[in-house]
Amino acid sequence: MTAPLTLRVLPPAPRYGTPFDADADGFKEGWWISRWHESGGPDADAITLSLDGDEVARAMIRHDGPEAEHIGLGPLTDPVELARIEVAEQHRRRGLGRAAVLAIARHYAGRDVWVHGDEAAFYEKTGWTRYERADRDASIVPFFVLRSAG
């Protein structure tokens, strides 16, 4: 990857639609098309990330904080949840996931970003801090925070 990713927040979709391009290759249709509205779409930011005009990644950002308490976490600054992120299948293994997360963090500068991420190694390698639940419930997907630099 040589050029930086271009991040764009898509306008909200009408009713039960999706703001994403249903014909784009390499994305899980159930995540972005058929279940967008059910998973928080109307109140979430739809983020598309492009490289040289080609959509390479998508994300759903919710404007909320975590519900559970986490050991050592402390208060979050105007938190946003990285509820979902995906790099298109044909663009994986090129460092675009890391670039997408960094672009999202820059876009939400001054705010802490959190995620329940099942790809623990990815989040740990990209600078996120892992926190354990205060109730010690290990059945939940790991919880990570990327503190705002701004």
Side-chain angles (χ1 to χ4, degrees):
M1 185 182 74
T2 56
L5 291 179
T6 301
L7 182 147
R8 194 164 51 101
V9 179
L10 299 174
R15 298 196 180 226
Y16 287 93
T18 178
F20 292 102
D21 178 2
D23 296 324
D25 291 329
F27 295 102
K28 295 176 185 162
E29 184 176 322
W31 278 17
W32 307 108
I33 308 304
S34 59
R35 293 195 186 111
W36 171 258
H37 192 278
E38 297 156 6
S39 58
D43 299 318
D45 291 345
I47 304 287
T48 182
L49 298 116
S50 302
L51 182 62
D52 297 326
D54 186 23
E55 183 181 29
V56 296
R58 294 177 173 178
M60 172 192 279
I61 304 293
R62 293 188 195 153
H63 297 266
D64 61 7
E67 293 179 14
E69 291 187 29
H70 295 82
I71 299 168
L73 178 60
L76 295 177
T77 303
D78 198 11
V80 292
E81 176 189 7
L82 177 58
R84 186 173 292 155
I85 187 167
E86 182 181 21
V87 174
E89 190 173 5
Q90 67 274 22
H91 294 290
R92 294 179 187 160
R93 310 250 186 275
R94 296 175 42 199
L96 293 170
R98 170 177 260 178
V101 166
L102 293 174
I104 290 166
R106 280 192 304 275
H107 180 76
Y108 292 99
R111 302 179 77 175
D112 291 333
V113 183
W114 65 276
V115 65
H116 280 117
D118 55 4
E119 296 292 331
F122 170 79
Y123 289 105
E124 289 164 352
K125 287 178 186 174
T126 54
W128 296 67
T129 303
R130 184 175 180 164
Y131 294 91
E132 300 302 324
R133 285 176 55 114
D135 64 6
R136 304 282 189 197
D137 185 346
S139 67
I140 306 297
V141 176
F143 176 83
F144 295 91
V145 173
L146 186 61
R147 292 286 186 172
S148 169

